[in-house]
Amino acid sequence: MKPVVAVTGGKGLVGSRFVSDFAENYEFIHLDISDPVQPVDITKRDQVLTALSNKNVQAIVHFAAYTDVTGAWKQSGDKNGIAYQVNVVGTETMVQAANELGAQLINISTAYVFDGKKEGLYTEADQMSPIEWYGQTKAWAEEAVQNQAQNWTILRIDQPFRPDEFPKADIVHRILAGLQAGTLYPQFTDHYFGPTFIPDFSSVIDWSIRTRTTGLFHASSGEKWTDYDFACAVAEANGIDPTVVKQGSLAEYLQSSERPYQKNTAMSVEKLKSVVDFKLGEIKYFLHQ
């Protein structure tokens, strides 16, 4: 008998890769409002519990999130908006369901819970200090998990990408498409992030379920890149002259941007590396498409 794992957002960029990579390991139950047989609104506790009743669910992996940062910013302060409803209410519902079922809740979070002012890599000991609505809703979601869930794991990631194409293009595929079309906009030299290779991250989720490991972990690559250096690396990895990548400035961009923008979202993964039972790969080896 395979362990039963419920997933929200199992058709998304990150969730669908986990489901496909570990289809032989787990029996998956999808909590998805677009399901033609049993649609489930994750903000509705009764619908979630009905879908999971008598299933002996070992873990719930909560991928579903409203991740359009600009779209979320336009909803700032609106608790009836989709960003708050999915990110906060949906998470609260997953907490309630996991508690009632005695299941482990694995909540997928983001580096956007930080303000981006730190020069070095963010650690799990750093306090959350979101500066825009998306980050705020994800911070509230984390608080709900930590304060209310009985058996929880929070995994924070940043700029996830995968080796195969997906309808929603990730950062690597967006850069590559821009390079190939000659339309890539100037890349910031003063903005930093920590990309996440989705197959590696899928293995982290599997590890957490297998070992029943709980707690808060940063689960990106642990690397720190500027947008410009990353775009140049993508170009080189795919046989494109990196000199075509133009330099841009976040500081200049912010002069005309109304939405706040974190300067740095790179995170340390030393805590994760000290306990996980496999080796995380280096990003440079995953950029060829």
Coordinates of all heavy atoms in Angstrom, one line a residue, residues 128-183:
M128 N 10.2 37.4 10.0 CA 9.5 37.8 8.8 C 9.1 39.3 8.9 O 8.8 39.8 9.9 CB 8.2 37.0 8.7 CG 8.4 35.5 8.4 SD 6.8 34.6 8.1 CE 6.0 34.7 9.7
S129 N 9.3 39.9 7.7 CA 9.0 41.4 7.7 C 8.5 41.7 6.2 O 9.2 42.4 5.5 CB 10.2 42.2 8.0 OG 11.3 41.7 7.3
P130 N 7.4 41.2 5.8 CA 6.9 41.4 4.4 C 6.7 42.9 4.1 O 6.3 43.7 5.0 CB 5.7 40.6 4.3 CG 5.2 40.5 5.7 CD 6.4 40.5 6.6
I131 N 6.9 43.3 2.8 CA 6.7 44.7 2.4 C 5.6 44.9 1.4 O 5.4 46.0 0.9 CB 8.1 45.3 1.9 CG1 8.6 44.5 0.7 CG2 9.1 45.3 3.0 CD1 9.8 45.1 0.0
E132 N 5.0 43.8 1.0 CA 3.9 43.9 0.0 C 2.9 42.8 0.3 O 3.1 41.9 1.1 CB 4.4 43.8 -1.5 CG 5.6 42.9 -1.8 CD 5.3 41.5 -1.6 OE1 4.1 41.1 -1.9 OE2 6.1 40.7 -1.2
W133 N 1.7 42.8 -0.3 CA 0.6 42.0 0.0 C 0.8 40.5 -0.2 O 0.4 39.7 0.7 CB -0.7 42.5 -0.7 CG -2.0 41.9 -0.2 CD1 -2.9 41.2 -0.9 CD2 -2.6 42.1 1.1 NE1 -4.0 40.9 -0.2 CE2 -3.8 41.5 1.1 CE3 -2.1 42.8 2.2 CZ2 -4.7 41.4 2.2 CZ3 -3.0 42.7 3.4 CH2 -4.2 42.1 3.3
Y134 N 1.5 40.1 -1.2 CA 1.8 38.7 -1.4 C 2.6 38.2 -0.3 O 2.2 37.2 0.3 CB 2.5 38.5 -2.8 CG 3.1 37.1 -2.9 CD1 2.3 36.0 -2.9 CD2 4.5 36.9 -2.9 CE1 2.8 34.7 -3.1 CE2 5.0 35.7 -3.0 CZ 4.2 34.6 -3.1 OH 4.8 33.3 -3.2
G135 N 3.7 38.8 0.0 CA 4.5 38.4 1.2 C 3.8 38.4 2.5 O 3.9 37.6 3.3
Q136 N 2.9 39.4 2.6 CA 2.1 39.5 3.9 C 1.2 38.3 4.0 O 1.0 37.7 5.1 CB 1.3 40.8 3.9 CG 0.5 41.0 5.2 CD 1.3 41.1 6.4 OE1 2.0 42.1 6.7 NE2 1.3 40.0 7.2
T137 N 0.5 38.0 2.9 CA -0.5 36.9 3.0 C 0.3 35.6 3.3 O -0.2 34.7 4.0 CB -1.3 36.7 1.7 OG1 -0.5 36.5 0.6 CG2 -2.2 38.0 1.5
K138 N 1.4 35.4 2.7 CA 2.2 34.2 2.9 C 2.8 34.1 4.4 O 2.9 33.1 5.0 CB 3.3 34.1 1.9 CG 2.9 33.8 0.5 CD 2.1 32.5 0.3 CE 3.0 31.3 0.3 NZ 2.3 30.1 0.0
A139 N 3.1 35.3 4.9 CA 3.6 35.4 6.3 C 2.4 35.0 7.2 O 2.6 34.3 8.2 CB 4.1 36.8 6.6
W140 N 1.2 35.5 7.0 CA 0.1 35.2 7.8 C -0.2 33.7 7.7 O -0.6 33.0 8.7 CB -1.2 35.9 7.4 CG -1.2 37.3 7.9 CD1 -0.7 37.8 9.1 CD2 -1.8 38.5 7.3 NE1 -1.0 39.1 9.3 CE2 -1.6 39.6 8.2 CE3 -2.5 38.7 6.1 CZ2 -2.1 40.9 7.9 CZ3 -2.9 40.0 5.8 CH2 -2.8 41.0 6.7
A141 N 0.0 33.1 6.5 CA -0.2 31.7 6.3 C 0.8 30.9 7.2 O 0.4 29.9 7.8 CB -0.1 31.3 4.8
E142 N 2.0 31.3 7.2 CA 3.0 30.6 8.0 C 2.7 30.7 9.5 O 2.8 29.7 10.2 CB 4.4 31.3 7.8 CG 5.1 30.9 6.5 CD 6.6 31.1 6.5 OE1 7.1 31.2 7.6 OE2 7.2 31.3 5.4
E143 N 2.2 31.9 9.9 CA 1.8 32.0 11.3 C 0.6 31.1 11.7 O 0.6 30.5 12.7 CB 1.4 33.5 11.6 CG 2.6 34.4 11.6 CD 2.2 35.9 11.7 OE1 1.0 36.2 11.6 OE2 3.1 36.7 11.8
A144 N -0.3 30.9 10.8 CA -1.4 30.0 11.0 C -0.9 28.6 11.2 O -1.4 27.8 12.0 CB -2.4 30.1 9.9
V145 N 0.0 28.2 10.3 CA 0.6 26.9 10.4 C 1.3 26.6 11.7 O 1.1 25.7 12.4 CB 1.5 26.6 9.2 CG1 2.3 25.3 9.4 CG2 0.8 26.6 7.9
Q146 N 2.2 27.6 12.0 CA 3.0 27.4 13.2 C 2.2 27.5 14.5 O 2.5 26.8 15.5 CB 4.1 28.4 13.3 CG 5.2 28.3 12.2 CD 6.4 29.0 12.4 OE1 6.9 29.1 13.5 NE2 7.0 29.7 11.4
N147 N 1.2 28.3 14.5 CA 0.4 28.5 15.7 C -0.7 27.5 15.9 O -1.2 27.3 17.1 CB -0.2 29.9 15.7 CG 0.9 31.0 15.8 OD1 2.0 30.8 16.3 ND2 0.5 32.2 15.3
Q148 N -1.2 26.9 14.8 CA -2.4 26.1 14.9 C -2.2 24.6 14.5 O -2.9 23.8 15.0 CB -3.5 26.7 14.1 CG -3.9 28.1 14.4 CD -4.8 28.8 13.4 OE1 -5.6 28.1 12.8 NE2 -4.7 30.1 13.2
A149 N -1.3 24.3 13.6 CA -1.1 23.0 13.2 C -0.4 22.1 14.2 O 0.5 22.6 15.0 CB -0.3 22.9 11.9
Q150 N -0.8 20.9 14.3 CA -0.2 20.0 15.3 C 1.1 19.3 14.8 O 2.0 18.9 15.5 CB -1.3 18.9 15.6 CG -2.5 19.4 16.3 CD -3.6 18.4 16.3 OE1 -3.5 17.3 15.9 NE2 -4.8 18.8 16.9
N151 N 1.2 19.1 13.5 CA 2.3 18.4 12.9 C 2.6 19.1 11.5 O 2.0 18.8 10.5 CB 1.9 16.9 12.6 CG 3.0 16.1 12.1 OD1 4.1 16.5 12.0 ND2 2.6 14.8 11.7
W152 N 3.6 20.0 11.6 CA 3.8 20.9 10.4 C 5.2 21.0 10.0 O 6.2 20.8 10.7 CB 3.2 22.3 10.7 CG 3.9 23.0 11.9 CD1 3.5 22.9 13.2 CD2 5.1 23.8 11.8 NE1 4.4 23.7 14.0 CE2 5.4 24.2 13.2 CE3 6.0 24.1 10.8 CZ2 6.5 25.0 13.5 CZ3 7.1 24.9 11.1 CH2 7.3 25.4 12.5
T153 N 5.3 21.2 8.7 CA 6.6 21.5 8.0 C 6.4 22.7 7.1 O 5.4 22.7 6.4 CB 7.1 20.3 7.2 OG1 7.1 19.2 8.0 CG2 8.5 20.6 6.7
I154 N 7.3 23.7 7.2 CA 7.2 24.9 6.3 C 8.5 24.8 5.4 O 9.6 24.8 6.0 CB 7.1 26.2 7.0 CG1 5.7 26.3 7.7 CG2 7.2 27.4 6.0 CD1 5.6 27.5 8.6
L155 N 8.3 24.9 4.1 CA 9.5 24.9 3.2 C 9.4 26.1 2.4 O 8.5 26.3 1.6 CB 9.4 23.6 2.3 CG 9.5 22.3 3.0 CD1 9.3 21.2 2.0 CD2 10.8 22.1 3.8
R156 N 10.4 27.0 2.5 CA 10.5 28.3 1.8 C 11.3 28.1 0.5 O 12.4 27.5 0.6 CB 11.0 29.4 2.6 CG 10.1 29.8 3.8 CD 10.8 30.9 4.6 NE 10.0 31.4 5.7 CZ 10.5 31.8 6.8 NH1 11.8 31.9 7.0 NH2 9.7 32.2 7.8
I157 N 10.8 28.6 -0.6 CA 11.6 28.6 -1.9 C 11.6 29.9 -2.5 O 10.9 30.9 -2.0 CB 11.0 27.5 -2.8 CG1 9.5 27.8 -3.2 CG2 11.2 26.1 -2.3 CD1 8.9 26.9 -4.2
D158 N 12.4 30.1 -3.6 CA 12.5 31.3 -4.3 C 12.8 31.0 -5.8 O 13.6 30.2 -6.1 CB 13.7 32.1 -3.7 CG 13.8 33.5 -4.2 OD1 12.8 34.1 -4.6 OD2 14.9 34.1 -4.3
Q159 N 12.0 31.7 -6.6 CA 12.2 31.6 -8.1 C 12.4 30.1 -8.6 O 13.4 29.8 -9.1 CB 13.4 32.4 -8.5 CG 13.2 33.9 -8.3 CD 12.1 34.5 -9.2 OE1 11.6 33.9 -10.1 NE2 11.7 35.8 -9.0
P160 N 11.4 29.3 -8.4 CA 11.5 27.9 -8.8 C 11.5 27.7 -10.3 O 10.8 28.4 -11.1 CB 10.3 27.2 -8.2 CG 9.2 28.3 -8.1 CD 10.0 29.6 -7.8
F161 N 12.3 26.8 -10.8 CA 12.4 26.4 -12.2 C 12.6 24.9 -12.4 O 13.1 24.2 -11.5 CB 13.5 27.2 -13.0 CG 14.9 26.8 -12.7 CD1 15.5 25.9 -13.5 CD2 15.5 27.3 -11.6 CE1 16.8 25.5 -13.3 CE2 16.8 26.9 -11.3 CZ 17.5 26.0 -12.1
R162 N 12.2 24.5 -13.6 CA 12.2 23.0 -13.9 C 12.9 22.8 -15.2 O 13.0 23.7 -16.0 CB 10.9 22.4 -13.8 CG 9.8 23.1 -14.7 CD 8.4 22.7 -14.3 NE 8.0 21.4 -14.8 CZ 6.9 20.8 -14.5 NH1 6.0 21.4 -13.7 NH2 6.6 19.6 -15.1
P163 N 13.4 21.6 -15.5 CA 14.1 21.3 -16.7 C 13.2 21.2 -18.0 O 13.7 21.5 -19.1 CB 14.8 20.0 -16.5 CG 14.0 19.3 -15.5 CD 13.4 20.4 -14.6
D164 N 11.9 20.9 -17.8 CA 11.0 20.7 -18.9 C 10.1 22.0 -19.0 O 10.0 22.7 -18.0 CB 10.2 19.5 -18.7 CG 9.5 19.5 -17.3 OD1 10.1 19.9 -16.3 OD2 8.3 19.1 -17.2
E165 N 9.6 22.2 -20.2 CA 8.7 23.3 -20.4 C 7.3 23.1 -19.7 O 6.9 21.9 -19.5 CB 8.5 23.6 -21.9 CG 9.7 24.1 -22.6 CD 9.4 24.6 -24.0 OE1 8.2 24.8 -24.3 OE2 10.4 24.7 -24.8
F166 N 6.7 24.2 -19.3 CA 5.4 24.1 -18.6 C 4.6 25.3 -19.1 O 5.2 26.3 -19.5 CB 5.7 24.2 -17.1 CG 4.5 24.0 -16.2 CD1 4.0 22.7 -16.0 CD2 3.8 25.1 -15.7 CE1 2.8 22.5 -15.3 CE2 2.6 24.9 -14.9 CZ 2.2 23.6 -14.7
P167 N 3.3 25.2 -19.1 CA 2.5 26.3 -19.7 C 2.8 27.7 -19.0 O 2.8 28.7 -19.7 CB 1.1 25.9 -19.4 CG 1.1 24.4 -19.4 CD 2.5 24.0 -18.9
K168 N 3.1 27.7 -17.7 CA 3.5 28.9 -17.0 C 5.0 28.9 -17.0 O 5.7 28.1 -16.3 CB 3.0 28.9 -15.6 CG 3.4 30.2 -14.8 CD 2.9 30.1 -13.4 CE 3.5 31.3 -12.6 NZ 3.1 31.3 -11.2
A169 N 5.6 29.7 -17.8 CA 7.1 29.7 -18.0 C 7.7 30.1 -16.7 O 7.4 31.1 -16.1 CB 7.5 30.7 -19.1
D170 N 8.8 29.4 -16.3 CA 9.5 29.8 -15.1 C 10.6 30.7 -15.5 O 10.8 31.2 -16.6 CB 10.1 28.5 -14.4 CG 11.0 27.7 -15.4 OD1 11.8 28.3 -16.1 OD2 10.8 26.4 -15.4
I171 N 11.5 31.1 -14.5 CA 12.5 32.2 -14.7 C 13.5 31.8 -15.8 O 13.8 32.6 -16.7 CB 13.2 32.5 -13.4 CG1 14.1 33.7 -13.7 CG2 13.9 31.4 -12.8 CD1 14.7 34.3 -12.4
V172 N 13.9 30.5 -15.9 CA 14.9 30.1 -16.9 C 14.3 30.1 -18.3 O 14.9 30.7 -19.2 CB 15.5 28.7 -16.5 CG1 16.3 28.2 -17.7 CG2 16.3 28.8 -15.3
H173 N 13.1 29.6 -18.4 CA 12.4 29.6 -19.7 C 12.0 31.0 -20.2 O 12.1 31.3 -21.4 CB 11.2 28.6 -19.7 CG 11.6 27.2 -19.6 ND1 11.8 26.5 -18.4 CD2 11.9 26.3 -20.6 CE1 12.1 25.3 -18.7 NE2 12.2 25.1 -20.0
R174 N 11.7 31.9 -19.3 CA 11.4 33.3 -19.7 C 12.7 34.0 -20.2 O 12.6 34.6 -21.2 CB 10.8 34.1 -18.5 CG 9.4 33.7 -18.1 CD 8.8 34.8 -17.2 NE 9.6 35.1 -16.0 CZ 9.5 34.5 -14.8 NH1 8.6 33.5 -14.7 NH2 10.2 34.9 -13.8
I175 N 13.8 33.7 -19.5 CA 15.0 34.3 -19.9 C 15.4 33.8 -21.3 O 15.8 34.5 -22.2 CB 16.1 34.1 -18.9 CG1 15.9 34.9 -17.6 CG2 17.5 34.4 -19.4 CD1 16.8 34.6 -16.5
L176 N 15.4 32.5 -21.4 CA 15.8 31.8 -22.6 C 14.9 32.3 -23.8 O 15.4 32.6 -24.9 CB 15.7 30.3 -22.5 CG 16.3 29.5 -23.6 CD1 17.8 29.9 -23.9 CD2 16.2 28.0 -23.3
A177 N 13.6 32.4 -23.6 CA 12.7 32.9 -24.7 C 13.1 34.3 -25.1 O 13.1 34.6 -26.3 CB 11.3 32.8 -24.2
G178 N 13.4 35.1 -24.1 CA 13.8 36.5 -24.4 C 15.1 36.6 -25.1 O 15.2 37.4 -26.0
L179 N 16.0 35.7 -24.7 CA 17.3 35.7 -25.4 C 17.1 35.3 -26.9 O 17.7 35.9 -27.8 CB 18.3 34.8 -24.7 CG 18.8 35.2 -23.4 CD1 19.5 34.0 -22.6 CD2 19.9 36.3 -23.6
Q180 N 16.4 34.2 -27.1 CA 16.2 33.7 -28.5 C 15.4 34.7 -29.3 O 15.6 34.7 -30.6 CB 15.5 32.4 -28.4 CG 16.3 31.3 -27.7 CD 15.5 30.0 -27.4 OE1 14.3 30.0 -27.3 NE2 16.2 28.9 -27.3
A181 N 14.5 35.5 -28.7 CA 13.7 36.4 -29.5 C 14.4 37.8 -29.6 O 13.9 38.7 -30.4 CB 12.3 36.6 -28.9
G182 N 15.4 38.0 -28.9 CA 16.1 39.3 -28.8 C 15.3 40.3 -28.1 O 15.5 41.5 -28.3
T183 N 14.5 39.9 -27.2 CA 13.6 40.8 -26.5 C 13.8 40.9 -25.0 O 13.0 41.4 -24.2 CB 12.1 40.5 -26.7 OG1 11.9 39.1 -26.3 CG2 11.8 40.6 -28.2

